[in-house]
Amino acid sequence: MKGSLAAMLIATERFVTKHPNHKGSISFLITSDEEGPFINGTTKVIDTLEARDEKITYCIVGEPSSTHAVGDIVKNGRRGSISAEVDIKGKQGHVAYPEHVKNPIHLAMPALTELSLVEWDQGNDYFPATSLQISNINSGTGATNVIPETLDAVFNFRFSTETTEDELKEKTHAIFDSHFADSKASYDIHWKLSGQPFLTPEGKLVSACQNAIKKVTDVDTTLSTSGGTSDGRFIAPTGAQVVELGVRNATIHQVDEKVEVDDLGKLAQIYEGILENLLLD
């Protein structure tokens, strides 16, 4: 992302120098909490702009979208993301007397297994099928002869436009209800929505990106909505056309994360071409 920002700044400097009377305005939105709780970054800026009735027309997010060559992939949308933490409460006791206890681990496993096997939807022309991944399970006292009282599990949905947030919640609760209806144990689910799915269909921004990439790298770019989320999820609902275009993502979130210097130069040229395609017509 830092590399993309540098390329954007260089591209803008070049563009404004060559075309001081261009049509439009260019702004940068730089935030440090995109990977965190997203409280004081893009959301606050969007709230301020909306209060002013000031709209963003086109937005390029510098996420590392490329795979094998700069510009081979442009993200023109993202799946939604919603996480859940389920707390299951049973009854603690000695393993030798299972008739006197309610083992939350035994109770949770069938429900979580069924949850992991559901086909939530089949996706569509723009989005892959909705997927669920269980990311954390915690239980136990540390002793081999004690059945614990509680189990906590965390899972996340990445969902397409074929399924809504409410449908995911309803189906999940229905599964847990079916497994806990006849037990004396209880469960509670806490939900956190990180973002709704969004899509920028082929149009002026997408074409501007495709044409600029082709001119600089001779690559025919592929449109994709795969991967994680980005702050584009806060900008797209305002009506803006949003894409993600950046360097290759082979080493993201890894030790020795790196970017090829030549890629940054190409990316700056691509960004400059996009500005020309959008603001000189």
Side-chain angles (χ1 to χ4, degrees), residues 35-169:
E35 293 282 1
F38 53 85
I39 295 172
N40 295 311
T42 301
T43 52
K44 288 291 179 66
V45 174
I46 292 301
D47 289 344
T48 300
L49 293 178
E50 289 291 285
R52 296 177 186 168
D53 197 26
E54 185 174 343
K55 296 293 185 180
I56 298 171
T57 307
Y58 309 113
C59 176
I60 300 175
V61 182
E63 286 280 358
S65 63
S66 304
T67 301
H68 303 294
V70 174
D72 62 350
I73 303 290
V74 169
K75 307 287 187 179
N76 66 321
R78 289 288 196 172
R79 295 172 294 176
S81 175
I82 185 171
S83 297
E85 180 177 344
V86 57
D87 302 320
I88 297 171
K89 186 174 183 179
K91 184 179 179 182
Q92 183 172 319
H94 198 290
V95 296
Y97 302 96
E99 67 274 14
H100 300 311
V101 301
K102 290 291 180 181
N103 191 325
I105 300 174
H106 290 187
L107 291 167
M109 291 303 103
L112 292 174
T113 298
E114 181 177 347
L115 196 69
S116 69
L117 296 175
V118 172
E119 182 182 68
W120 304 92
D121 60 50
Q122 296 181 337
N124 54 37
D125 291 342
Y126 299 102
F127 290 93
T130 294
S131 66
L132 171 141
Q133 289 295 315
I134 300 170
S135 55
N136 284 277
I137 296 179
N138 295 292
S139 188
T141 65
T144 60
N145 62 346
V146 177
I147 293 172
E149 182 180 29
T150 62
L151 178 144
D152 300 319
V154 179
F155 51 90
N156 175 268
F157 291 99
R158 295 302 166 105
F159 62 103
S160 76
T161 51
E162 295 296 308
T163 300
T164 67
E165 169 194 357
D166 288 341
E167 288 171 339
L168 294 173
K169 291 179 178 180

